[in-house]
mmCIF file of all heavy atoms in Angstrom:
data_model
loop_
_atom_site.group_PDB
_atom_site.id
_atom_site.type_symbol
_atom_site.label_atom_id
_atom_site.label_comp_id
_atom_site.label_asym_id
_atom_site.label_seq_id
_atom_site.Cartn_x
_atom_site.Cartn_y
_atom_site.Cartn_z
ATOM 1 N N MET B 27 -43.838 -22.161 169.332
ATOM 2 C CA MET B 27 -42.886 -21.853 170.387
ATOM 3 C C MET B 27 -41.745 -20.933 169.930
ATOM 4 O O MET B 27 -40.780 -20.736 170.663
ATOM 5 C CB MET B 27 -42.299 -23.178 170.945
ATOM 6 C CG MET B 27 -43.381 -24.030 171.602
ATOM 7 S SD MET B 27 -42.841 -25.715 171.941
ATOM 8 C CE MET B 27 -43.010 -26.491 170.341
ATOM 9 N N ASN B 28 -41.852 -20.411 168.736
ATOM 10 C CA ASN B 28 -40.825 -19.539 168.178
ATOM 11 C C ASN B 28 -39.452 -20.245 168.097
ATOM 12 O O ASN B 28 -38.417 -19.614 168.266
ATOM 13 C CB ASN B 28 -40.678 -18.238 168.983
ATOM 14 C CG ASN B 28 -40.055 -17.122 168.174
ATOM 15 O OD1 ASN B 28 -40.281 -17.019 166.962
ATOM 16 N ND2 ASN B 28 -39.255 -16.303 168.809
ATOM 17 N N HIS B 29 -39.488 -21.548 167.867
ATOM 18 C CA HIS B 29 -38.256 -22.317 167.770
ATOM 19 C C HIS B 29 -37.554 -22.067 166.438
ATOM 20 O O HIS B 29 -38.201 -21.955 165.394
ATOM 21 C CB HIS B 29 -38.564 -23.802 167.911
ATOM 22 C CG HIS B 29 -38.845 -24.217 169.323
ATOM 23 N ND1 HIS B 29 -39.292 -25.478 169.649
ATOM 24 C CD2 HIS B 29 -38.724 -23.552 170.479
ATOM 25 C CE1 HIS B 29 -39.447 -25.565 170.945
ATOM 26 N NE2 HIS B 29 -39.108 -24.400 171.478
ATOM 27 N N GLU B 30 -36.234 -22.043 166.492
ATOM 28 C CA GLU B 30 -35.461 -21.871 165.265
ATOM 29 C C GLU B 30 -35.264 -23.190 164.525
ATOM 30 O O GLU B 30 -35.266 -23.241 163.311
ATOM 31 C CB GLU B 30 -34.085 -21.270 165.628
ATOM 32 C CG GLU B 30 -34.158 -19.847 166.115
ATOM 33 C CD GLU B 30 -32.776 -19.242 166.362
ATOM 34 O OE1 GLU B 30 -31.768 -19.974 166.262
ATOM 35 O OE2 GLU B 30 -32.698 -18.040 166.659
ATOM 36 N N TYR B 31 -35.050 -24.267 165.277
ATOM 37 C CA TYR B 31 -34.687 -25.560 164.684
ATOM 38 C C TYR B 31 -35.930 -26.417 164.471
ATOM 39 O O TYR B 31 -36.736 -26.599 165.421
ATOM 40 C CB TYR B 31 -33.689 -26.256 165.607
ATOM 41 C CG TYR B 31 -33.113 -27.573 165.085
ATOM 42 C CD1 TYR B 31 -31.896 -27.581 164.408
ATOM 43 C CD2 TYR B 31 -33.734 -28.772 165.311
ATOM 44 C CE1 TYR B 31 -31.328 -28.776 163.979
ATOM 45 C CE2 TYR B 31 -33.194 -29.979 164.859
ATOM 46 C CZ TYR B 31 -31.980 -29.962 164.194
ATOM 47 O OH TYR B 31 -31.437 -31.133 163.766
ATOM 48 N N MET B 32 -36.091 -26.944 163.274
ATOM 49 C CA MET B 32 -37.175 -27.872 162.995
ATOM 50 C C MET B 32 -36.627 -29.031 162.170
ATOM 51 O O MET B 32 -35.615 -28.883 161.463
ATOM 52 C CB MET B 32 -38.324 -27.210 162.248
ATOM 53 C CG MET B 32 -38.998 -26.116 163.082
ATOM 54 S SD MET B 32 -40.468 -25.408 162.298
ATOM 55 C CE MET B 32 -41.677 -26.733 162.562
ATOM 56 N N SER B 33 -37.300 -30.184 162.302
ATOM 57 C CA SER B 33 -36.735 -31.392 161.697
ATOM 58 C C SER B 33 -37.831 -32.385 161.380
ATOM 59 O O SER B 33 -38.877 -32.384 162.055
ATOM 60 C CB SER B 33 -35.706 -31.994 162.664
ATOM 61 O OG SER B 33 -35.068 -33.095 162.104
ATOM 62 N N TRP B 34 -37.603 -33.217 160.397
ATOM 63 C CA TRP B 34 -38.501 -34.311 160.050
ATOM 64 C C TRP B 34 -37.769 -35.640 160.218
ATOM 65 O O TRP B 34 -36.612 -35.783 159.851
ATOM 66 C CB TRP B 34 -38.974 -34.217 158.609
ATOM 67 C CG TRP B 34 -40.156 -33.318 158.441
ATOM 68 C CD1 TRP B 34 -40.174 -32.042 157.952
ATOM 69 C CD2 TRP B 34 -41.525 -33.639 158.731
ATOM 70 N NE1 TRP B 34 -41.434 -31.545 157.947
ATOM 71 C CE2 TRP B 34 -42.287 -32.507 158.417
ATOM 72 C CE3 TRP B 34 -42.150 -34.780 159.236
ATOM 73 C CZ2 TRP B 34 -43.672 -32.471 158.591
ATOM 74 C CZ3 TRP B 34 -43.519 -34.743 159.408
ATOM 75 C CH2 TRP B 34 -44.271 -33.598 159.072
ATOM 76 N N TYR B 35 -38.505 -36.640 160.753
ATOM 77 C CA TYR B 35 -37.979 -37.978 160.942
ATOM 78 C C TYR B 35 -39.004 -38.991 160.399
ATOM 79 O O TYR B 35 -40.196 -38.739 160.382
ATOM 80 C CB TYR B 35 -37.768 -38.292 162.434
ATOM 81 C CG TYR B 35 -36.860 -37.318 163.121
ATOM 82 C CD1 TYR B 35 -37.375 -36.171 163.716
ATOM 83 C CD2 TYR B 35 -35.487 -37.550 163.200
ATOM 84 C CE1 TYR B 35 -36.536 -35.261 164.334
ATOM 85 C CE2 TYR B 35 -34.652 -36.650 163.812
ATOM 86 C CZ TYR B 35 -35.180 -35.512 164.387
ATOM 87 O OH TYR B 35 -34.356 -34.620 164.992
ATOM 88 N N ARG B 36 -38.478 -40.123 160.001
ATOM 89 C CA ARG B 36 -39.347 -41.268 159.740
ATOM 90 C C ARG B 36 -38.942 -42.375 160.671
ATOM 91 O O ARG B 36 -37.763 -42.523 161.061
ATOM 92 C CB ARG B 36 -39.260 -41.706 158.270
ATOM 93 C CG ARG B 36 -37.940 -42.179 157.763
ATOM 94 C CD ARG B 36 -38.021 -42.676 156.318
ATOM 95 N NE ARG B 36 -38.756 -43.943 156.220
ATOM 96 C CZ ARG B 36 -39.075 -44.533 155.076
ATOM 97 N NH1 ARG B 36 -38.751 -43.959 153.905
ATOM 98 N NH2 ARG B 36 -39.736 -45.674 155.055
ATOM 99 N N GLN B 37 -39.936 -43.149 161.069
ATOM 100 C CA GLN B 37 -39.677 -44.240 162.001
ATOM 101 C C GLN B 37 -40.220 -45.530 161.418
ATOM 102 O O GLN B 37 -41.406 -45.645 161.093
ATOM 103 C CB GLN B 37 -40.326 -43.979 163.368
ATOM 104 C CG GLN B 37 -39.969 -45.031 164.402
ATOM 105 C CD GLN B 37 -40.431 -44.684 165.800
ATOM 106 O OE1 GLN B 37 -41.426 -43.984 165.984
ATOM 107 N NE2 GLN B 37 -39.711 -45.149 166.796
ATOM 108 N N ASP B 38 -39.348 -46.493 161.272
ATOM 109 C CA ASP B 38 -39.679 -47.814 160.749
ATOM 110 C C ASP B 38 -39.252 -48.880 161.755
ATOM 111 O O ASP B 38 -38.233 -48.707 162.427
ATOM 112 C CB ASP B 38 -39.000 -48.035 159.407
ATOM 113 C CG ASP B 38 -39.322 -46.957 158.410
ATOM 114 O OD1 ASP B 38 -40.471 -46.952 157.920
ATOM 115 O OD2 ASP B 38 -38.466 -46.098 158.120
ATOM 116 N N PRO B 39 -39.990 -49.980 161.841
ATOM 117 C CA PRO B 39 -39.666 -51.014 162.822
ATOM 118 C C PRO B 39 -38.221 -51.486 162.697
ATOM 119 O O PRO B 39 -37.752 -51.796 161.610
ATOM 120 C CB PRO B 39 -40.651 -52.139 162.456
ATOM 121 C CG PRO B 39 -41.808 -51.443 161.808
ATOM 122 C CD PRO B 39 -41.204 -50.300 161.044
ATOM 123 N N GLY B 40 -37.540 -51.497 163.841
ATOM 124 C CA GLY B 40 -36.164 -51.980 163.863
ATOM 125 C C GLY B 40 -35.129 -50.994 163.407
ATOM 126 O O GLY B 40 -33.918 -51.241 163.510
ATOM 127 N N LEU B 41 -35.572 -49.838 162.894
ATOM 128 C CA LEU B 41 -34.617 -48.847 162.356
ATOM 129 C C LEU B 41 -34.592 -47.558 163.156
ATOM 130 O O LEU B 41 -33.837 -46.651 162.845
ATOM 131 C CB LEU B 41 -34.949 -48.522 160.898
ATOM 132 C CG LEU B 41 -34.822 -49.685 159.922
ATOM 133 C CD1 LEU B 41 -35.245 -49.246 158.512
ATOM 134 C CD2 LEU B 41 -33.397 -50.220 159.891
ATOM 135 N N GLY B 42 -35.399 -47.474 164.179
ATOM 136 C CA GLY B 42 -35.410 -46.274 165.004
ATOM 137 C C GLY B 42 -35.907 -45.060 164.223
ATOM 138 O O GLY B 42 -36.641 -45.174 163.241
ATOM 139 N N LEU B 43 -35.504 -43.894 164.680
ATOM 140 C CA LEU B 43 -35.880 -42.639 164.035
ATOM 141 C C LEU B 43 -34.734 -42.193 163.128
ATOM 142 O O LEU B 43 -33.586 -42.108 163.563
ATOM 143 C CB LEU B 43 -36.104 -41.558 165.095
ATOM 144 C CG LEU B 43 -37.352 -41.732 165.928
ATOM 145 C CD1 LEU B 43 -37.115 -41.280 167.369
ATOM 146 C CD2 LEU B 43 -38.492 -40.930 165.311
ATOM 147 N N ARG B 44 -35.060 -41.901 161.899
ATOM 148 C CA ARG B 44 -34.042 -41.443 160.965
ATOM 149 C C ARG B 44 -34.402 -40.043 160.472
ATOM 150 O O ARG B 44 -35.542 -39.806 160.033
ATOM 151 C CB ARG B 44 -33.915 -42.421 159.811
ATOM 152 C CG ARG B 44 -33.356 -43.774 160.212
ATOM 153 C CD ARG B 44 -33.218 -44.704 159.024
ATOM 154 N NE ARG B 44 -34.523 -45.094 158.494
ATOM 155 C CZ ARG B 44 -34.694 -45.706 157.331
ATOM 156 N NH1 ARG B 44 -33.651 -45.974 156.555
ATOM 157 N NH2 ARG B 44 -35.903 -46.046 156.926
ATOM 158 N N GLN B 45 -33.437 -39.166 160.519
ATOM 159 C CA GLN B 45 -33.677 -37.768 160.148
ATOM 160 C C GLN B 45 -33.738 -37.624 158.638
ATOM 161 O O GLN B 45 -32.846 -38.088 157.920
ATOM 162 C CB GLN B 45 -32.588 -36.884 160.746
ATOM 163 C CG GLN B 45 -32.887 -35.397 160.682
ATOM 164 C CD GLN B 45 -31.812 -34.575 161.376
ATOM 165 O OE1 GLN B 45 -30.628 -34.777 161.191
ATOM 166 N NE2 GLN B 45 -32.246 -33.630 162.197
ATOM 167 N N ILE B 46 -34.759 -36.933 158.166
ATOM 168 C CA ILE B 46 -34.952 -36.753 156.731
ATOM 169 C C ILE B 46 -34.329 -35.403 156.289
ATOM 170 O O ILE B 46 -33.454 -35.367 155.434
ATOM 171 C CB ILE B 46 -36.446 -36.762 156.355
ATOM 172 C CG1 ILE B 46 -37.084 -38.092 156.812
ATOM 173 C CG2 ILE B 46 -36.629 -36.576 154.853
ATOM 174 C CD1 ILE B 46 -38.610 -38.110 156.699
ATOM 175 N N TYR B 47 -34.818 -34.341 156.882
ATOM 176 C CA TYR B 47 -34.307 -32.998 156.653
ATOM 177 C C TYR B 47 -34.394 -32.224 157.963
ATOM 178 O O TYR B 47 -35.193 -32.540 158.815
ATOM 179 C CB TYR B 47 -35.146 -32.243 155.604
ATOM 180 C CG TYR B 47 -34.704 -32.429 154.169
ATOM 181 C CD1 TYR B 47 -35.293 -33.383 153.371
ATOM 182 C CD2 TYR B 47 -33.732 -31.606 153.621
ATOM 183 C CE1 TYR B 47 -34.912 -33.528 152.045
ATOM 184 C CE2 TYR B 47 -33.314 -31.752 152.290
ATOM 185 C CZ TYR B 47 -33.924 -32.724 151.519
ATOM 186 O OH TYR B 47 -33.534 -32.874 150.208
ATOM 187 N N TYR B 48 -33.545 -31.207 158.078
ATOM 188 C CA TYR B 48 -33.649 -30.312 159.197
ATOM 189 C C TYR B 48 -33.429 -28.880 158.744
ATOM 190 O O TYR B 48 -32.875 -28.633 157.666
ATOM 191 C CB TYR B 48 -32.691 -30.708 160.335
ATOM 192 C CG TYR B 48 -31.217 -30.658 159.972
ATOM 193 C CD1 TYR B 48 -30.434 -29.556 160.305
ATOM 194 C CD2 TYR B 48 -30.608 -31.748 159.343
ATOM 195 C CE1 TYR B 48 -29.074 -29.535 160.002
ATOM 196 C CE2 TYR B 48 -29.274 -31.730 159.041
ATOM 197 C CZ TYR B 48 -28.507 -30.646 159.360
ATOM 198 O OH TYR B 48 -27.164 -30.608 159.061
ATOM 199 N N SER B 49 -33.820 -27.958 159.613
ATOM 200 C CA SER B 49 -33.727 -26.544 159.295
ATOM 201 C C SER B 49 -33.268 -25.792 160.529
ATOM 202 O O SER B 49 -33.907 -25.862 161.568
ATOM 203 C CB SER B 49 -35.068 -25.993 158.832
ATOM 204 O OG SER B 49 -35.055 -24.595 158.749
ATOM 205 N N MET B 50 -32.147 -25.087 160.409
ATOM 206 C CA MET B 50 -31.615 -24.334 161.548
ATOM 207 C C MET B 50 -32.328 -22.992 161.703
ATOM 208 O O MET B 50 -32.304 -22.396 162.778
ATOM 209 C CB MET B 50 -30.107 -24.098 161.364
ATOM 210 C CG MET B 50 -29.304 -25.387 161.296
ATOM 211 S SD MET B 50 -29.070 -26.149 162.924
ATOM 212 C CE MET B 50 -27.626 -25.259 163.486
#
Side-chain angles (χ1 to χ4, degrees):
Chain B
M27 296 168 280
N28 202 35
H29 284 172
E30 292 184 353
Y31 185 94
M32 296 186 75
S33 184
W34 276 103
Y35 303 89
R36 61 176 289 174
Q37 186 171 29
D38 303 288
L41 296 178
L43 289 144
R44 293 182 292 168
Q45 192 176 46
I46 303 170
Y47 271 95
Y48 61 98
S49 169
M50 298 284 275

